[in-house]
Amino acid sequence: MIDLSLVRHAVLDMDGTLYSGARLFGSTLPFLERLRSLGIGYTFLTNNTSISKVEYVAKLRKLGIEAEEIQIYTPAESTIIYLRHHLPHAKTVALLGTPSLTQEFVEAGFAVSWDAPDVVVVGFDKTLTYERLCRAAYWISTGLPFLATHPDFVCPTDEATVLVDCGSICACLIAATGRHPTVFGKPNPSILVELCDRLHLNRDQMLMVGDRIYTDMKMAQEAGVPAALVLTGEATAAQAADMPHQPDLIVTDVGELGDLLAGARRVTAP
């Protein structure tokens, strides 16, 4: 049973949890204020690597959510950390990604080039061209390490289109080369493990909050971190009931979660 009185930091999925498209949920701002009043820190987590932290801060502020770059976590960070720890020889990256993602790798100290790269990295590339896709397939076919920032096949949108995401681009490359990438992003549990280490928290002091069963909840369960499923996004109550491993908590929205966190603090107060 989850002990909400232990929670010191919340990891918040965004789309479907705090807002939908360009629509902020009514419970979001009061919930964030309640977290601050309870002394609970929070990190905004996304699988979308097409825009930078700076752009995410601007997006959140446009919705009315105050945020700083240090509060944003994307799979680009996990990928960069992996490169530094496991492939320290990799200095040049062949990257399928937007200019924003390219800039993140450059600022992290990597050269981004299609000439004699050490590794191939695939992200959510809204600027994808056939030529670069073919070049990526070539370098992957030579045996270079093949990394993907996240597994999502499509990016959620309220527009009349399908946003082909990183997982779909990788599916094309897998078909062309017969090789599979090392994949980061949700549901890879390394994200939550890294955040626990960075914030010096035990697993039971962190709470994952999200609306997707196969990413948010799966990641938390594999990391051993408590999780709260909100029903404002993709998952329904019926789908949650069919899960073989139930979330620690199911709430209608983040407002209800805020009430429960506050109630847990009052119960344990001396």
Side-chain angles (χ1 to χ4, degrees):
M1 184 68 179
I2 184 173
D3 185 352
L4 292 177
S5 69
L6 298 176
V7 175
R8 295 294 176 266
H9 197 89
V11 181
L12 308 174
D13 172 61
M14 293 190 276
D15 206 342
T17 300
L18 303 179
Y19 55 78
S20 178
R23 178 175 63 88
L24 187 70
F25 296 141
S27 58
T28 296
L29 295 182
F31 169 68
L32 295 176
E33 175 56 36
R34 176 161 263 176
L35 290 182
R36 291 191 290 270
S37 70
L38 293 171
I40 297 174
Y42 50 89
T43 295
F44 300 106
L45 176 62
T46 178
N47 260 10
N48 189 340
T49 57
S50 69
I51 63 176
S52 67
K53 288 187 176 187
V54 172
E55 291 167 312
Y56 260 112
V57 167
K59 177 178 180 178
L60 289 173
R61 287 180 177 174
K62 186 175 181 180
L63 288 169
I65 300 174
E66 284 301 315
E68 304 294 335
E69 285 183 52
I70 196 171
Q71 293 177 289
I72 310 293
Y73 195 99
T74 79
E77 288 187 64
S78 294
T79 308
I80 288 168
I81 290 170
Y82 179 88
L83 285 170
R84 287 173 173 164
H85 291 175
H86 298 279
L87 297 171
H89 69 280
K91 306 299 181 184
T92 302
V93 177
L95 178 67
L96 289 184
T98 58
S100 295
L101 184 61
T102 299
Q103 185 62 30
E104 287 192 69
F105 273 83
V106 170
E107 290 176 355
F110 295 94
V112 177
S113 173
W114 292 98
D115 296 324
D118 302 308
V119 60
V120 178
V121 176
V122 180
F124 179 16
D125 190 359
K126 292 182 177 180
T127 61
L128 183 66
T129 66
Y130 184 71
E131 179 184 1
R132 286 194 294 122
L133 182 66
C134 292
R135 289 290 286 166
Y138 168 73
W139 284 119
I140 292 167
S141 71
T142 67
L144 287 186
F146 174 20
L147 312 181
T149 59
H150 58 292
D152 300 41
F153 288 105
V154 297
C155 180
T157 180
D158 52 6
E159 301 172 4
T161 187
V162 174
L163 297 178
V164 176
D165 208 329
C166 181
S168 296
I169 298 171
C170 285
C172 177
L173 294 168
I174 291 167
T177 67
R179 295 188 60 214
H180 291 258
T182 299
V183 183
F184 303 92
K186 298 183 287 185
N188 190 317
S190 66
I191 295 173
L192 295 181
V193 173
E194 289 163 11
L195 281 171
C196 283
D197 290 344
R198 182 184 302 183
L199 298 168
H200 307 292
L201 295 174
N202 297 326
R203 306 290 173 89
D204 59 3
Q205 293 177 304
M206 182 171 282
L207 179 68
M208 177 66 215
V209 185
D211 69 300
R212 288 191 176 190
I213 290 170
Y214 56 90
T215 56
D216 303 316
M217 298 302 103
K218 183 179 180 182
M219 174 180 62
Q221 289 170 350
E222 291 189 1
V225 169
L229 177 69
V230 297
L231 301 178
T232 47
E234 181 176 296
T236 65
Q239 289 170 336
D242 287 339
M243 291 177 62
H245 302 290
Q246 289 288 297
D248 299 285
L249 193 62
I250 301 174
V251 293
T252 55
D253 59 18
V254 291
E256 182 183 352
L257 176 59
D259 291 340
L260 292 172
L261 287 165
R265 290 295 197 279
R266 286 194 295 269
V267 168
T268 58

